[in-house]
Each structure stands twice: as structure tokens, then as C-alpha cells.
Amino acid sequence: MGAPQRVLAPWAVLLLALQLASASHVIHRSLEVEAAPPSVPASIVSPLLRTGYHFQPPKNWINAPMYYKGWYHLFYQYNPKGAVWGNIVWAHSVSRDLINWIPLEPGIVPSIPSDKYGCWSGSATILPDGTPVITYTGITRSDINYQVQNIAFPKNSSDPLLREWVKPAGLNPIAVPEPGINATQFRDPTTAWLADGHWRMLVGGVRYDRGLAFVYRSRDFKRWVRAKHPLHSALTGMWECPDFYPVAGAGQQNGLDTSEAGVKHVLKNSLDRTRYDYYTVGKYDKDKDRYVPDDPNGDQHRMRYDYGNFYASKTFYDPVKRRRILWGWANESDSVTDDRAKGWAGIQAIPRKIWLDPSGKQLLQWPIEEVEKLRGKPVSVGGKVVKPGQHFEVTGLGANQADVEVSFEVSSLAKAEPFDPAYSDDAQKLCGVKGADVKGGVGPFGLWVLASADLQEKTAVFFRVFKDGYGKPKVLMCTDPTKSSLSPDLYKPTFAGFVDTDISSGKISLRSLIDRSVVESFGDEGKTCILSRVYPSIAIGKDAHLYVFNNGETDITVSHLTAWEMKKPLMNGA
């Protein structure tokens, strides 16, 4: 992944060491820098806005998640020297359950000519004999961020924590930008897969505005040769952080190892131009090393893992529970000045299990089951009718850190508004026009989360139902944070996606993970997902409230709602 939009102040690392000690991750003392933060308004830097159960190291992008000898490993990019982008190393944490994390010393640091100016994103691959290997982008020139690909092996593969890595002399770099390849946009090698005696991996790139997934092949995983043609390409601009993996048959939730044959394959790339992650589902021809999306228009109308603040994602195969897990990064939505003042920036989304839906057209996502261990005593509501213009509060829990699952039932779709086809490819714009406070026929209805008692502050997560020109219902899911905070100068974009669901029965579900300054929502069992960052100034701590609302003209029934206050993860030791 390329240079970030946020950087840490030099004193930030010390603050993070203190704050993370009570959250899901702490910083190793060897990375601490002593200094004091400037004086800033408490509303933005309140520790109550720091997430309670999301993984939140100082600065992070997903590199090489993997499972090895009883431990889940997470590497992320980090600058131990302070406030500017540079000196990038791979920080390293391990976990038994993907929730409680132990920090270790950095795993990959600049130490050879081909990564002298930074170790950027990459991936991990488990070889047939069980040995893990890391491939990553190294920076050889600081003036233009000249990019090459490198390889590293564990110094001691019997160490389950993989605390030391070596870069064999004579092998690195394993791939360099050849003539015609932009050396400043040539990065992020994928997890490799084995087919017909050859390993393959992808490297993201661009040529004349065409995003490319370059294919590299190797027989021994040490010497790599670029194929004549890319796996796939499209006129989208640079492809960062590509990911390519097989999926089982439609509706089958088991995951597949990257080298297994799948019914379908998924190709995902992060577009530097939009800062969103997009994917297509299609077929992979291993004989020709070509990928073709099922939808002929898929490259122009690609789907997204998440329609909110979610970028530079990475999946890995979990062999213990036979599932594919998706990690993603969420940036801050406040200012750089605020980030420096509060001493932290960027979080990881809750890991998600990911699989192909029964239609075979899209992926479904759901928070990993381990997160449910953090649930406290449940609070339930059932069979409650919410009349037009009404709302009610869900009480009995700390609403600033919660997990909410709710099933709605719409009494009638007769009043659904006509859908304007001009918004067919822009749900986000439609949400901006038809926000939570704009009354409709069927909806908006949903949740007000991180809300103040007087509702001056509230973040709305809701559905709204339209009817297209053929009378077929079209469901919009939206997160509207425009009233999330009274603090000035915040970036508060609406996020939205359409939900490919049959709502003719009137039934639809919503799950929201609320964690102080982040709201992750899953519509209709994970068909549409939206992550949003918010920074309340009133609705924080014990002053955060949770409501169900209906701003449509049609009655909505809460068939069943269960909410749990979420506990902080317990550290396993540091």
C-alpha cells in the first residue's frame, strides 16, 4: 500500500502505549518515544472515543495475517520514529482467538539494499511442508519510492510466535519493475497459490490508467518470473493491495486454502483513486492464468466488501475452523491535527468470516464468532410496533460499546417511493439526498446509535425501501453521521449501499457493532456492510444512548431485538 493520508506525532507512541494497555492491544516499550502532546479541546481527544474492542495499534495497514502453530499472526505497517511517513517496518502481534492480542518486536525491518527505505505491504504463504514465507514490497530509493518485491523466511520455523525473520542473500529482490512498468506503482504481492507444479502470486500495478494484477511464477518459491500478460486488468487506475482466492459453492460457508480449486474465484483490489475496496466474482483458468468476472460489466459496476470507511483489506484461510477471514483498515474522519493531538489514528475492523452467497453473485460477511465472547448480559425487545414518526430507547446496557441484532418487519410496501434510476450506481449520493431525517413512504427506519439523551447527537443506521419502474422493491441501506457530533470541522460523510434482497415478505435484519468512535453494520445477514467513524462530543461514555426509530409513513414492527454491552478484551500477557 502507498503513502498514507495520516501520520503520527512523535509523542503519539507514548500515549498509545498507555491507552492501549486497557484495550485490545498494547505497544512494545522498544517503540515508545517520550514527549508531551499539545493542549487541545477535550471533546476530540477524550479517551472515551478510543475504541474498546477493536484492534487499534498506532498506525496500521494489513500485511500478512496467517495462522501458524496455534497462533493467529497480524502484521501491520508502522513508523517507530515518529510523525512522518517513512522508516516503515512490520509491527507484529499474535493472538489465540483474533480478539485478545499480544504485541511482539517488529517482524520485518529495513536491513538490506532492496528494502533500505521501507518495508511496505505484502502477504504470507504457507508452503506444503508447513513453513511460512513472507513476500513484501521494499523501497530502494527514497526520492521516488522505487518499489521492488522481497522475500523473507522464519529464522526458526519451530518458534510458533515467528519472532525472527531472515532475508536470504542472493534472492532479494525477487521481482523488479521491468521496462514499461511504473516503479512507483508496483507493490503489494499477494498470498501465492500452487497449480500444476508452479507457484503464482500477483503484484498490483498500473499502465496508462489501466489497473493491473501482474502474475509472477516460480517452481521453488525463490526465483520468480513475470508472465507475459496480467491475470486481469481494467481502466480504473492503480490497483493496490490485490487479493485473489477461491470460494466454495454458492451458500457453502467453509473456506478454501488459496491453492485449493474453487467453484469460483474472487479478485479484489484497493483503488488508490477512490480509497475503496472493490471485488468481482468470476472464473480462473489456471492453464492460461486468466481471470474473467462472471458479470461482463463487473469491472465498471464492481461490488464492495464494505460501502463505508474500509480499505487495504486482506483475507487469509483459517485451517482450524476452515473459514476465510477478512481484515480491513478504517481511517479516521477527523483532522490530522486532531489525530496528532489525541495520539492515535486508524483501526482494524472486526475480523469477518466471508463466503459466497446462495445466488453465487456476491459475498456474505459476518463478524467472527469469537467476538461474541465479549458480550455481556443481553437486553431484549420483541413484538414492538413503531408508528410513523416515533422512536423508543433501548435501555439497560452501556450503549457506547455494544452489539445489537434486530429483525424488522414492514407492515406494507404500498407506500414505497419511486426509485430514480439516476442513482442506480450511486447509493451514497441517494443517501445524502434521502437521509435519516427525510421522511419517506417505507422508511427510513433503523437505529440511532451513539445518541445523546436530547438527540442533538445521533448516528443513524437505517433502511429505506423504493420501488423501481417495474414495481419491484429496491432496498437502500445507509449510515448517516451528519448529526453524529456537535464538534466542528469533522468529516461526516453518509455511506450507503443497495441490499440485494427480497423484501416482499416485509422482513429484513440489521446488526451493528458499536464501539465508541466506530459503527460497523451488517444488513440482511451480511449482504451489505457499512463501517463509519464518528466522534460524539455529548454521546460518549455513559451518556451514549441507543434508539429504534421510524421516519416513514408505514408502521414498522421490531420482531426481535437483542443488544449486548461489549466488554473489553483481556490481555493474555505482554
Side-chain angles (χ1 to χ4, degrees):
M1 180 177 170
Q5 297 175 345
R6 296 278 196 274
V7 291
L8 286 178
W11 41 264
V13 183
L14 178 59
L15 276 179
L16 282 158
L18 300 175
Q19 293 169 338
L20 281 167
S22 64
S24 59
H25 187 270
V26 297
I27 304 305
H28 200 282
R29 290 192 177 276
S30 66
L31 302 183
E32 293 176 10
V33 180
E34 293 189 8
S39 177
V40 291
S43 60
I44 296 295
V45 302
S46 170
L48 294 178
L49 291 178
R50 182 173 181 80
T51 60
Y53 61 94
H54 282 71
F55 183 95
Q56 189 171 358
K59 191 67 185 176
N60 54 309
W61 286 264
I62 295 302
N63 284 318
M66 65 174 146
Y67 181 86
Y68 186 69
K69 293 189 175 182
W71 292 90
Y72 293 100
H73 293 254
L74 181 62
F75 297 90
Y76 51 93
Q77 291 182 29
Y78 172 63
N79 179 0
K81 296 186 178 180
V84 297
W85 173 254
N87 311 300
I88 295 301
V89 304
W90 280 32
H92 183 196
S93 292
V94 294
S95 172
R96 291 286 194 184
D97 59 7
L98 292 166
I99 299 297
N100 302 284
W101 291 92
I102 301 171
L104 302 176
E105 292 285 354
I108 305 288
V109 300
S111 61
I112 57 177
S114 55
D115 66 13
K116 181 177 181 180
Y117 294 101
C119 302
W120 286 17
S121 293
S123 299
T125 302
I126 306 295
L127 300 182
D129 66 0
T131 302
V133 184
I134 282 175
T135 51
Y136 67 98
T137 298
I139 306 303
T140 64
R141 288 175 52 185
S142 61
D143 55 343
I144 61 169
N145 286 330
Y146 193 96
Q147 298 159 23
V148 300
Q149 315 312 317
N150 295 307
I151 193 168
F153 295 86
K155 184 175 182 179
N156 177 11
S157 60
S158 65
D159 175 15
L161 299 183
L162 299 173
R163 283 169 286 201
E164 294 183 87
W165 294 81
V166 294
K167 307 162 188 176
L171 289 185
N172 289 306
I174 59 171
V176 298
E178 300 167 40
I181 295 178
N182 187 337
T184 67
Q185 299 188 76
F186 173 68
R187 55 183 175 267
D188 310 334
T190 65
T191 296
W193 69 97
L194 182 63
D196 297 332
H198 282 83
W199 287 98
R200 281 96 159 165
M201 72 175 178
L202 305 180
V203 177
V206 65
R207 182 182 289 153
Y208 305 118
D209 202 44
R210 178 173 287 275
L212 302 164
F214 294 113
V215 179
Y216 282 81
R217 300 188 185 120
S218 174
R219 286 187 179 274
D220 59 6
F221 217 96
K222 296 177 180 179
R223 293 164 182 82
W224 295 81
V225 177
R226 182 171 66 87
K228 292 181 179 179
H229 58 77
L231 180 83
H232 192 59
S233 65
L235 288 169
T236 57
M238 170 65 186
W239 284 4
E240 287 193 299
C241 305
D243 200 9
F244 186 61
Y245 54 91
V247 287
Q252 297 183 30
Q253 294 193 24
N254 59 292
L256 298 176
D257 178 81
T258 309
S259 292
E260 289 186 72
V263 174
K264 298 284 183 70
H265 271 73
V266 173
L267 177 61
K268 164 264 168 183
N269 11 111
S270 304
L271 292 193
D272 189 42
R273 177 178 295 169
T274 64
R275 309 299 287 183
Y276 294 133
D277 282 10
Y278 299 85
Y279 75 91
T280 55
V281 178
K283 293 182 175 63
Y284 167 57
D285 185 335
K286 64 183 178 65
D287 295 324
K288 298 180 179 178
D289 273 335
R290 291 281 196 180
Y291 168 81
V292 179
D294 287 344
D295 181 355
N297 297 314
D299 288 320
Q300 285 70 45
H301 305 284
R302 291 187 296 172
M303 297 172 286
R304 284 164 55 182
Y305 283 153
D306 191 293
Y307 290 85
N309 185 341
F310 190 91
Y311 192 65
S313 60
K314 179 71 180 173
T315 67
F316 77 100
Y317 175 65
D318 176 4
V320 176
K321 295 192 175 182
R322 297 188 64 222
R323 57 185 174 176
R324 183 156 290 271
I325 294 175
L326 169 68
W327 279 96
W329 171 67
N331 203 352
E332 302 297 319
S333 295
D334 56 2
S335 68
V336 174
T337 300
D338 291 334
D339 288 349
R340 288 174 172 168
K342 67 182 188 256
W344 46 269
I347 65 165
Q348 300 301 336
I350 291 296
R352 304 171 182 180
K353 179 179 176 180
I354 189 168
W355 69 98
L356 193 63
D357 88 329
S359 74
K361 296 179 180 179
Q362 70 166 88
L363 296 170
L364 297 179
Q365 302 167 61
W366 200 246
I368 58 170
E369 60 187 24
E370 288 87 342
V371 75
E372 297 173 14
K373 296 177 183 178
L374 301 177
R375 288 173 169 176
K377 184 178 178 180
V379 173
S380 296
V381 177
K384 188 174 183 65
V385 177
V386 189
K387 294 288 186 180
Q390 291 186 350
H391 65 269
F392 70 89
E393 183 174 4
V394 180
T395 60
L397 76 160
N400 70 317
Q401 199 168 295
D403 184 358
V404 185
E405 293 189 13
V406 56
S407 296
F408 297 104
E409 189 164 351
V410 180
S411 61
S412 170
L413 298 176
K415 294 184 178 180
E417 304 159 78
F419 178 73
D420 184 345
Y423 296 108
S424 294
D425 292 323
D426 202 341
Q428 185 170 350
K429 186 175 182 180
L430 178 58
C431 180
V433 175
K434 301 280 189 177
D437 291 335
V438 179
K439 294 183 178 180
V442 182
F445 62 89
L447 302 175
W448 285 329
V449 304
L450 296 174
S452 59
D454 58 6
L455 294 178
Q456 285 191 79
E457 290 186 343
K458 58 187 178 184
T459 295
V461 184
F462 65 88
F463 298 112
R464 192 180 191 117
V465 184
F466 299 85
K467 278 190 178 179
D468 65 16
Y470 301 96
K472 183 179 178 180
K474 193 172 183 70
V475 180
L476 176 73
M477 177 179 166
C478 182
T479 295
D480 182 354
T482 53
K483 293 188 176 180
S484 61
S485 179
L486 298 180
S487 297
D489 303 322
L490 290 176
Y491 178 52
K492 297 183 286 187
T494 56
F495 290 121
F498 294 110
V499 187
D500 186 9
T501 187
D502 180 6
I503 198 175
S504 57
S505 66
K507 298 179 180 179
I508 194 166
S509 66
L510 176 67
R511 182 179 182 184
S512 287
L513 297 174
I514 305 158
D515 193 5
R516 303 185 180 197
S517 62
V518 59
V519 182
E520 284 190 74
S521 298
F522 303 81
D524 200 36
E525 303 299 324
K527 288 184 177 178
T528 301
C529 308
I530 301 175
L531 187 152
S532 185
R533 303 302 309 277
V534 295
Y535 310 90
S537 62
I538 302 173
I540 58 177
K542 62 181 178 58
D543 294 319
H545 299 260
L546 172 66
Y547 298 88
V548 177
F549 77 95
N550 177 16
N551 275 346
E553 298 177 4
T554 304
D555 289 359
I556 303 296
T557 299
V558 176
S559 305
H560 186 76
L561 181 151
T562 304
W564 299 264
E565 183 172 346
M566 297 293 276
K567 297 173 288 188
K568 292 181 180 180
L570 299 174
M571 290 303 299
N572 294 327

